[in-house]
Structures are given as structure tokens and as C-alpha cells.
Amino acid sequence: MSAAKTDTLPDPSKRDFLYITTGTAGAVGTASFVWPLIDQMNPDASTLALASIEVDVSSIEPGQAITVQWRGKPVFIRNRTDKELEEARNVSIAELKDPSSRNDNLDNGDATDINRSAGEGKENWIVMIGSCTHLGCIPVGLAGEYNGWFCPCHGSHYDTAGRIRKGPAPENLAIPKFQFINETNIKIG
Amino acid sequence: MKLITVFSRLIATGFAIAFTASVMTTAALAEGDGGTPHYPINHPKHVHWSFAGPFGHWDIGQLQRGLKIYTEVCAACHSMDLIAFRNLKDLGYSDEQVKAFAAEYEITDGPNLEGEMFERPGKPSDRFPGPYANSIEAANANNGAAPPDFSLLAKARAPERGFPTFIFDIFVLYAENGSDYIYSLLTGYQDAPEGVEVGEDTYYNPYYIGGKALAMAPPLEVDSVDYDDGTPQTVDQYSKDIAAFMMWAAEPTLVERKSMGFKVMLFLVIMSILIYFTKKSIFMNLKD
Amino acid sequence: MSGGHSKYVPVNGVMKWMDERLPLPRLVYDSFVAYPVPRNLNNWYTFGAILSIFMVLQLITGIVLAMHYVSSTDMAFNSIESIMRDVNFGWLLRRMHANGASFFFLAVYIHIFRGMYYGSYKAPREVLWILGVFIFIIMMATSFMGYVLPWGQMSYWAATVITGLFSAIPIIGVPIQEWLLGGFAVGDPTLNRFFSLHYLLPFMLVGLVILHVWALHVVGQTNPTGVEVKDLKKETVPFTPYATMKDLFALALFFILFAYFVFYLPDYLGHPDNYIRANPLKTPAHIVPEWYFLPYYAILRAFDFNIGIPFTDIVLLDSKLAGVIAMFGSLIVLLFLPWLDFAKTRSGNYRPLFRQFFWIFALVCIGLGYLGSRPAEGGYVTAAQILTTAYFAHFLIILPLLSILEKPKPVPPSIADAILAKNKAA
């Protein structure tokens, strides 16, 4: 390569500008191709279509519970008896291991019984994700020292409002976003 | 050496002539006698579709009319098992409308707590239930010819374009062979010409891809579906609407694909120009 | 260029530390930065780079598609449709992968014909060429198995027909076919093993490509004059930025063509019947392979007669086996090209007769491709027989004859002289 003729070369600053523009455009192009490769791993449309479900709870009598599957996890829906409600209400926040309501329907709040239930007028209903907050096993209903739920994997005891009372689990059982869309149906998610 | 050159050139010319001649004459031969007949008899008619071309888009009203035809006429025999009710949001319906539409269908679900299957109203996440339990039932109910599923039919039925049309298609971006075919088939029923024998329970149609007659009776007639938007209720209009709807069903992402394509092409052209000048500028260093 | 002396100088302490332990940066520098390429390469020489990019693209889109694909005869077809409809950008990735295979082949055909024209297979590049032929064969196997995965009608019948080729082998043919299929017909075991191999073979391809590039870097690139580089300083330029920029520009143009098909004509190169679920009880009226297999398919079908001893009833080779042998033979013959064409002059630019036959050969291949797409009947078969003869005659008769008989035009003494002459003419 001999020395280039300076008069045929564009101005060096113009040339740098060209190189930088080309490089940037190439980088932008590559990055926009990478996004589809990443996004394809996100939940697809058929999965998202099942992100919310409706459950008919009219046949659940007080003292009964059902487990439904929502987003691949079990959800406990329990119609609590007056006795269970009473037990749960008589606990002061100070006694609780986790004082937070852990209720996705509330911005925040204490783990009072009303904050854990389906709300005013529906206090007897409790809807929770049935996945122990310790390591994800499924707790057993009507069991444990507090007569609520008991996780057999590592011995976590939850009370009748699904609050952690004893054992290794750090948090109360999580309450998903849900609402009564009419007297008989709950929409979860 | 001269002689060898002449000789070799002769061989070369011989090959060239043999090549052209064989392709030309044999093509003509094959079209004529000896060959099996080629269907369809007529090429599909060309329709102007809103979704054709690089800026193609759906005509939402047309798709909604197409859905109406499907549910009121076609669904009696044809399934559409890849389409879920939720997909109807593409057709401009709201979540509530889709939910109400889905609830009109009975879906078999289960097993319930007693271990039994049960019927429940459809949900947006369900797919369109078919008219038959399985393809054997479908075939038995239709003289042995199971009506094809609608989900991909607009892409699965594309008569061969032939030479040299298939080369021009690249430049004019012709990709509506399937919807043209469906339109042509639906509007193409006619009396068999003199001397043409048609099998029992089949209907002569020169646009049919699988023979001279098909097992499906003409499915549409004037006013067979009520339109509430004032669109003419003719067989021609119905055929266009259902064909467009079937194209949507076969490829719901068609419009998204074309609009993304334009952006990508634009980017690539700009990128090429930039690279061209960068390359030119770099190669200037080489000039002696 | 094959010399052991490297011009790599580590830019900082970290690179120096690395260089003393694993000289990977040095390898990359020597192979893709400082590597000298002839100055007079034209744009036909950019397809090697385009091919390597397409190989990477096929790997990436393929790995991603495998995250959603289900290789079971019940689910395969629907899983592809769920990729097309529900997976985020699934339609784009699947279209890129399917059309990417076609463009991979388009590029590889241009690359092969470029090599044939410029005599890139001649000594000392025989191993380079043979590796290339193996890459080509692995590519064909990979794309064939990939085509089966969507489990449409064409997938199914392609698998049936192609595995049927093995049944032509006397005595052991049928057991081999059943071994390949894992059953008596194409089914779940077939689909699963094809999926497994479709995932494996591309990695073997990568390995072969590395060897191919290694062999290239040992012997150096050819160039349109066919004269070896004599003066590194005057006749070559460093790979980066010169070859890189040239390749990038060609790649950008090739991508425009690719995007045109992916976004506007995604089904153009496919077959409509593959949108119909596989049905083992019904063969489509007219089955054809993907366009890049059409010439071989025409050769296969050209044999509609048994080969025997004339005037007797003794059959040496039945038509089925003859077709299969001819089809595989059309690939195998490529392996011997370096010895079938033994003319001293390398580049077709200085061999007028060779050049003529080269273009006729290209036409023969296109003609075979056209005939492969036609039904196997009447005159089409006769035409395929003529062109098949021409195909083999080119390798087995014409090239050796030309090597002896042709008197080439004078070759420039060096690349530098050729460049000078060209500049003067311009």
C-alpha cells in the first residue's frame, strides 16, 4: 500500500462520522434482532390466555375447601366456619411472625383477618396460593398446631387465615389477585 | 489445434441444442397426450384483496362478515381447530364480546371430581369445537370425504402457477393464490359441459384442485347469510368474505409480518448504503 | 500466508497474559484480521463469508425453535402452528429458519459454481474442495431431516421416499430402511431420531467448516487469475478491513433478498401441501422436494429402465437401484473433480472452451432442476435422461478431454501484472 493521495480522500472528520454512523446502525440492527430471540422465551399467547380463571364457589359449604389450578399452581379456596374466623380474629398482629397481609388485592396492610379474607361481607372466604413460602411444597389443610394448614416438608404451621405461625417459612401464604364477579363466581388473576 | 477447437465447439453446440430441444419439445409432449390430466381445469380468478401487497392490511368488516358465514354455514361440516376464541380479538371484538361469543359454544371438559367428562360453556382460551368427534365420523357423514379443516386451508390450497408466471410472482409479490382459489371454487360451480361425466353426488367445478368435480354441494346462495352492514348479500361477496376470513385464519400474523417487513427492508437498504460508502472510503486507501 | 510467523502484538497486559496461556486472540487476529487475501478478489468470493453467517443464523433460529417444537407425530404439526400463532415472534423465527435453509443453499450453489469456474479445487486445494463437498452433503442431510419435522404431507412423503432409496440396495436394503425408520413405515421413532439428528448434524457441520477454513488458510485463497500470490506486499491486502467490508456489503445485499422472501413471500419456496397434516393413507397428487434437491430428484427419476446385457434378459441393475446410484453418484463425482480436470491452467478466465462447457453445465443443472419439479411422465423423463447424461459427461468425459486438448490463453505472470493490465484498460 503506497501513501494515499490526500485529495481523493474525504475529510477525516467526515470519514469518522461515516464509520460511527455505520457502526451504530449495525449495532442497532443487531440489537433489534436479538430482542425476538429473547422475547420468544416469554409466556406465549396461549399461556397468557389462561392467566386468569373463573371459579364457581356456590357449592362450597362452610368448612369445605376446594383446590383449583391457576397458572400451574394450586389455589386453596376455603369457606371458613365461624369458629375458624373467631380463632383467626383473636390473634394480635404482634404475635405474628409475618405482620404483612401478603394480599395482592391490597397495596399493603397488616395481616389482620379481614385483610387476609375476601373482604367486608365475604370474610368467611379465603383464597390463597397453596405453595408454602418456605420452599414451595403444598401445605395440608385442617392440620398443624393452629388448625389451619401444615406443610409436611419442613414443618411450617399456618393458622386459619393462612398466616405463618411456626416453622421455617418466612411469609404468610400469598393471596393472588381475585374478586367476586358475582355472588357465586370468583375470578382469579 | 484449430481442428480440436472446432470439434469441441461442435460438441458444445450439440449439447446446447440437445438441451433446448429436449426441454422445449418434451414439455409440449407432456402437456399433450399420455400425461395424467392436470387440475384445476381453470386457473383461479384474481381478486383484489386488502391484505395483498407489501402494505397489506385486514378489512376488519370483511373478516367479521367472514366469521358470520363460517359460523352460520361452513361450521356445520368444517372444523377450524387451530383457532381459539381469543383470536377473534384480531377481528375487532372486545374482550366482553369474545367472552359472550365463546359462551355460546358447548365445550367438553373434565374429568370432574367424579371422574366424568362434562359440558360447559366455552371460554376465550378454548378452540373452536368441530362438528364431528373425529375424522372417521366426519367422513362417514359426508359420503366418505371428510370436509377439510379450515385453519390452514387458504395456505394449503394453492394451484401451481406454471412457468413463467411463477417467476413474475416474485416481482409482483403475488401470494394470494390460496384465497383466489377459494373464491374461484365457491363461485365456480356450473353445469358440466357436454360429454363430461361427473360421479354421483359430486358437483362439476373447473376450479377444483382435486378433479373435475367435488363432493361439496354449492354451499352459498343469495341471502343465505344476513349482513347487517349493508354489504350486498350475493354469492360473489360471500365468497370473497369467507376467503379473506380463511386467509386470516391461516395466518393471523400476516399483517404484522408485512408491516415489520417494511421496516426491516428500509433498515437493510439504509444499512447497505452506509456499508457501501464505508467500504468505498476504506478502499480509497488502496488506490495507487 | 501459511508461514508460522504471526504479526500479533497484544495491546495490553491482560491480552499478553492470555496470549501466553491460550493464544486465542492471536489465532483470531492471524486468521481474520492480518490474514492476507489477494487484492483482485471479485464479489463472487464473498459467498464464503455469507455462508458462515447463514450457518450461524440457522443455528440460532434452530435452537430457539427447538424450545417450542414437539417431536411427536400427534403434536408436531400443531406445535409448529403454535409457534406460528402464539409464541412471541415465533412466526418470524420459523420463517427465517425455513427460508434460511433455502438461502443457505442458494449461497452454497453460487459458492460451488464459483469454485468450479475459477478452478479452486486444483492442487494444492484438493482437501479444501473435498471438505467442501462433505459440508454440502451434510447440509443436504440436515435440511432433509429438518423438512420432515413440521409433519405435513410433504414432510411425511419426503421421508417415505428418501428412506425408500435405501431399499434399492440388494438383500440388505429393506433391513437398512427399517433400521433407519425404526419401524415398517415413517412414524414416531423416525420423527424423533430425525429431530435428534437435525440438531446434531449442524454441529458436525460447524466442525467441518472450521476444517474447511483451516485448509483455506493453509493454502490461501485463489483469485480470478488463478495465479498464486508471489508478492505478499504488492498482491494482497489484510483481511480486515478490506475483505471484511467487501463481505459485509455483499451480506447486506443478500440479506435484503432474504428479508424480501421472509416477510413478503414466505411460502413461495415451500409447498402448499405441507400445510396439510401428514396422512399415511393418502399421497399428495404430485410430490416434489424442496427446490434445492430438484436436480438430484430429476436424476433419480431419469432411470425408468433396467440396465442389463443387450439382447438378453439378464438384468444387471434394476431401474430403482440405477436411479439411486446415479443420484448419489452425482454427488460422489464431485469428490474426484480435482483429478478429473487436470489442466494446468486454473482459472476459467483463460480457458475459453472450458468456460463454454462450464456454462452449459450450469444450464444442464438448471434444466434438471426444472425437470425435477415436473411430473415424471412422457417427455419430461426423456429430457431428464438427456440432461443426466450431459451431467455425468461433463465430469467424466469433457473435463478430462479438455485437460488434454484445450490450449489455454496466456496467463498473466503475476496478480500484480493482471491488476496493472486491468487498470490500463480501464
Side-chain angles (χ1 to χ4, degrees):
Chain A
M1 274 169 282
S2 59
K5 271 189 251 167
T6 40
D7 56 356
T8 59
L9 281 180
D11 174 6
S13 68
K14 256 190 206 160
R15 212 170 40 169
D16 287 346
F17 176 73
L18 176 65
Y19 294 171
I20 290 165
T21 317
T22 312
T24 315
V28 169
T30 314
S32 17
F33 174 61
V34 170
W35 172 241
L37 297 174
I38 296 169
D39 193 35
Q40 54 87 18
M41 279 168 73
N42 276 319
D44 72 13
S46 63
T47 309
L48 292 177
L50 295 169
S52 77
I53 57 167
E54 283 176 25
V55 185
D56 182 355
V57 295
S58 55
S59 59
I60 307 172
E61 301 294 330
Q64 288 185 334
I66 60 164
T67 304
V68 294
Q69 207 178 348
W70 172 72
R71 296 192 182 176
K73 287 184 198 148
V75 169
F76 300 148
I77 302 174
R78 184 168 178 81
N79 189 350
R80 296 182 294 175
T81 59
D82 291 342
K83 181 172 163 284
E84 289 171 344
L85 270 173
E86 202 59 37
E87 279 174 20
R89 278 181 187 147
N90 289 341
V91 180
S92 76
I93 300 295
E95 284 178 54
L96 295 172
K97 190 175 172 187
D98 176 17
S100 170
S101 67
R102 305 289 169 196
N103 185 338
D104 275 355
N105 302 287
L106 306 172
D107 286 339
N108 45 39
D110 292 334
T112 56
D113 185 67
I114 186 83
N115 278 352
R116 295 280 302 165
S117 72
E120 211 68 57
K122 299 271 184 198
E123 297 94 335
N124 52 324
W125 291 100
I126 186 157
V127 177
M128 302 181 302
I129 294 175
S131 170
C132 182
T133 57
H134 181 220
L135 291 168
C137 295
I138 299 174
V140 182
L142 289 178
E145 289 178 21
Y146 300 87
N147 220 13
W149 284 267
F150 171 68
C151 181
C153 291
H154 306 97
S156 292
H157 299 258
Y158 299 89
D159 66 14
T160 53
R163 295 172 295 201
I164 180 66
R165 300 296 291 275
K166 193 180 165 190
E171 290 177 6
N172 302 327
L173 288 175
I175 296 175
K177 250 199 161 25
F178 75 94
Q179 66 182 88
F180 272 88
I181 47 174
N182 52 42
E183 276 308 299
T184 56
N185 283 292
I186 298 180
K187 182 185 175 194
I188 305 174
Chain B
M1 273 308 154
K2 247 307 172 30
L3 202 70
I4 289 158
T5 317
V6 171
F7 181 63
S8 314
R9 270 180 201 241
L10 270 175
I11 299 176
T13 328
F15 263 119
I17 290 169
F19 170 78
T20 348
S22 59
V23 171
M24 290 292 195
T25 58
T26 55
L29 260 172
E31 292 294 331
D33 53 6
T36 45
H38 295 280
Y39 295 111
I41 297 167
N42 292 351
H43 284 295
K45 297 176 252 186
H46 285 277
V47 177
H48 177 75
W49 303 103
S50 68
F51 49 82
F55 303 104
H57 55 88
W58 300 119
D59 176 345
I60 295 295
Q62 184 172 47
L63 297 189
Q64 294 191 352
R65 294 195 298 272
L67 173 66
K68 200 157 193 280
I69 301 170
Y70 172 71
T71 49
E72 291 181 18
V73 181
C74 321
C77 302
H78 292 274
S79 60
M80 190 166 64
D81 59 16
L82 293 173
I83 304 291
F85 297 117
R86 63 185 157 84
N87 296 130
L88 297 179
K89 279 203 272 183
D90 290 6
L91 270 51
Y93 295 111
S94 68
D95 284 333
E96 295 313 308
Q97 284 170 308
V98 168
K99 224 169 123 179
F101 184 91
E104 290 171 21
Y105 286 80
E106 288 275 290
I107 304 287
T108 307
D109 200 348
N112 60 13
L113 293 176
E114 285 81 45
E116 276 160 19
M117 303 303 277
F118 58 93
E119 299 280 313
R120 60 160 173 79
K123 292 187 286 193
S125 56
D126 291 321
R127 295 179 192 276
F128 274 83
Y132 304 107
N134 51 57
S135 63
I136 298 166
E137 189 190 296
N140 281 337
N142 292 281
N143 290 325
D149 184 81
F150 261 25
S151 324
L152 282 164
L153 215 52
K155 289 201 292 189
R157 294 286 186 276
E160 203 180 326
R161 297 281 287 165
F163 179 82
T165 326
F166 78 83
I167 293 173
F168 302 143
D169 286 350
I170 298 176
F171 301 100
V172 300
L173 281 177
Y174 179 73
E176 290 72 42
N177 208 0
S179 41
D180 277 349
Y181 169 77
I182 291 165
Y183 166 80
S184 306
L185 183 81
L186 290 173
T187 54
Y189 285 97
Q190 51 194 261
D191 293 331
E194 202 82 16
V196 173
E197 289 283 320
V198 170
E200 207 179 322
D201 286 326
T202 63
Y203 303 85
Y204 179 78
N205 193 326
Y207 295 95
Y208 180 49
I209 200 169
K212 58 192 171 194
L214 71 164
M216 176 173 74
L220 298 163
E221 52 191 79
V222 177
D223 288 334
S224 52
V225 177
D226 283 327
Y227 281 162
D228 43 22
D229 60 355
T231 312
Q233 302 182 165
T234 59
V235 173
D236 187 80
Q237 186 62 40
Y238 288 148
S239 305
K240 279 181 189 155
D241 293 349
I242 188 68
F245 173 76
M246 286 169 74
M247 195 67 206
W248 167 80
E251 190 164 4
T253 54
L254 184 147
V255 168
E256 186 190 352
R257 158 162 72 76
K258 290 187 172 181
S259 75
M260 186 192 288
F262 180 70
K263 289 172 212 149
V264 172
M265 296 285 284
L266 193 68
F267 171 81
L268 284 174
V269 168
I270 294 172
M271 196 68 220
S272 309
I273 294 170
L274 283 172
I275 294 177
Y276 174 75
F277 283 109
T278 306
K279 177 188 138 185
K280 214 173 138 185
S281 142
I282 285 173
F283 270 79
M284 269 187 187
N285 298 332
L286 275 185
K287 289 268 158 64
D288 290 315
Chain C
M1 52 197 63
S2 54
H5 54 282
S6 165
K7 279 183 242 152
Y8 178 68
V9 183
V11 286
N12 55 36
V14 179
M15 295 306 249
K16 189 167 183 295
W17 183 90
M18 185 70 188
D19 190 48
E20 283 156 5
R21 283 155 183 84
L22 178 70
L24 195 61
R26 176 180 298 272
L27 179 73
V28 171
Y29 181 86
D30 290 342
S31 316
F32 301 107
V33 181
Y35 174 67
V37 293
R39 300 177 69 144
N40 58 337
L41 295 189
N42 57 30
N43 281 319
W44 298 110
Y45 283 83
T46 57
F47 281 88
I50 289 174
L51 281 164
S52 43
I53 297 293
F54 264 79
M55 182 175 68
V56 173
L57 207 59
Q58 287 301 88
L59 275 170
I60 293 174
T61 51
I63 287 168
V64 157
L65 288 170
M67 295 180 187
H68 304 279
Y69 173 73
V70 185
S71 63
S72 115
T73 53
D74 287 337
M75 307 269 294
F77 188 86
N78 280 15
S79 75
I80 295 283
E81 278 307 314
S82 105
I83 291 172
M84 294 291 285
R85 290 155 194 265
D86 290 339
V87 173
N88 303 315
F89 294 105
W91 60 269
L92 172 66
L93 299 163
R94 198 252 170 154
R95 296 298 203 187
M96 282 182 72
H97 195 68
N99 283 287
S102 274
F103 277 77
F104 202 166
F105 271 97
L106 176 63
V108 96
Y109 281 131
I110 297 174
H111 192 64
I112 291 171
F113 275 93
R114 193 271 295 147
M116 284 182 170
Y117 183 86
Y118 291 118
S120 302
Y121 44 82
K122 295 190 177 205
R125 296 183 180 79
E126 301 95 324
V127 173
L128 176 62
W129 172 263
I130 288 168
L131 281 167
V133 176
F134 283 132
I135 289 172
F136 180 48
I137 292 171
I138 298 266
M139 254 180 85
M140 296 174 85
T142 310
S143 72
F144 158 67
M145 292 191 205
Y147 192 61
V148 175
L149 303 185
W151 207 243
Q153 272 289 66
M154 279 296 164
S155 303
Y156 182 89
W157 292 101
T160 303
V161 168
I162 300 300
T163 52
L165 297 179
F166 292 90
S167 68
I169 305 167
I171 305 163
I172 53 165
V174 172
I176 287 184
Q177 188 190 8
E178 284 173 1
W179 173 77
L180 284 171
L181 295 176
F184 306 111
V186 178
D188 261 312
T190 323
L191 184 60
N192 273 301
R193 65 191 58 183
F194 276 20
F195 182 41
S196 169
L197 293 173
H198 183 66
Y199 209 116
L200 167 74
L201 289 183
F203 294 97
M204 290 174 67
L205 201 63
V206 172
L208 281 172
V209 167
I210 290 172
L211 293 182
H212 190 65
V213 173
W214 184 14
L216 172 74
H217 285 210
V218 169
V219 295
Q221 266 167 309
T222 54
N223 64 83
T225 66
V227 182
E228 294 289 354
V229 171
K230 296 200 174 83
D231 182 340
L232 271 183
K233 219 171 175 159
K234 261 163 110 183
E235 295 174 350
T236 67
V237 290
F239 188 82
T240 302
Y242 298 103
T244 346
M245 281 319 291
K246 205 167 185 162
D247 290 346
L248 263 181
F249 181 59
L251 182 69
L253 295 185
F254 201 69
F255 264 140
I256 292 178
L257 187 66
F258 178 50
Y260 186 82
F261 274 81
V262 167
F263 290 106
Y264 296 132
L265 294 167
D267 290 317
Y268 183 85
L269 298 165
H271 197 289
D273 279 352
N274 228 23
Y275 282 114
I276 304 170
R277 230 172 289 240
N279 181 355
L281 300 179
K282 191 167 178 265
T283 309
H286 178 196
I287 65 169
V288 280
E290 290 281 85
W291 68 268
Y292 39 82
F293 289 143
L294 290 174
Y296 311 100
Y297 195 54
I299 292 176
L300 171 76
R301 298 189 308 181
F303 289 82
D304 61 349
F305 51 88
N306 292 335
I307 297 171
I309 298 168
F311 313 114
T312 65
D313 288 336
I314 302 164
V315 174
L316 296 175
L317 212 52
D318 68 10
S319 55
K320 182 174 172 181
L321 184 57
V324 173
I325 290 176
M327 191 180 83
F328 286 109
S330 68
L331 292 170
I332 303 298
V333 73
L334 291 173
L335 291 171
F336 298 97
L337 182 56
W339 296 278
L340 290 169
D341 174 15
F342 46 86
K344 287 276 175 297
T345 310
R346 188 176 280 128
S347 167
N349 277 353
Y350 305 99
R351 301 179 63 193
L353 278 175
F354 168 84
R355 196 159 65 209
Q356 207 168 19
F357 282 104
F358 169 85
W359 288 115
I360 290 171
F361 175 71
L363 278 180
V364 165
C365 292
I366 292 170
L368 281 170
Y370 175 73
L371 293 170
S373 77
R374 300 288 87 203
E377 57 192 25
Y380 290 129
V381 177
T382 321
Q385 286 162 352
I386 295 171
L387 295 190
T388 302
T389 314
Y391 181 98
F392 285 102
H394 179 78
F395 289 108
L396 301 175
I397 300 168
I398 309 245
L399 287 181
L401 270 183
L402 284 179
S403 306
I404 300 167
L405 299 177
E406 186 178 10
K407 183 174 159 43
K409 291 203 287 191
V411 172
S414 72
I415 296 173
D417 290 308
I419 296 170
L420 269 179
K422 203 177 163 195
N423 286 351
K424 224 177 257 170

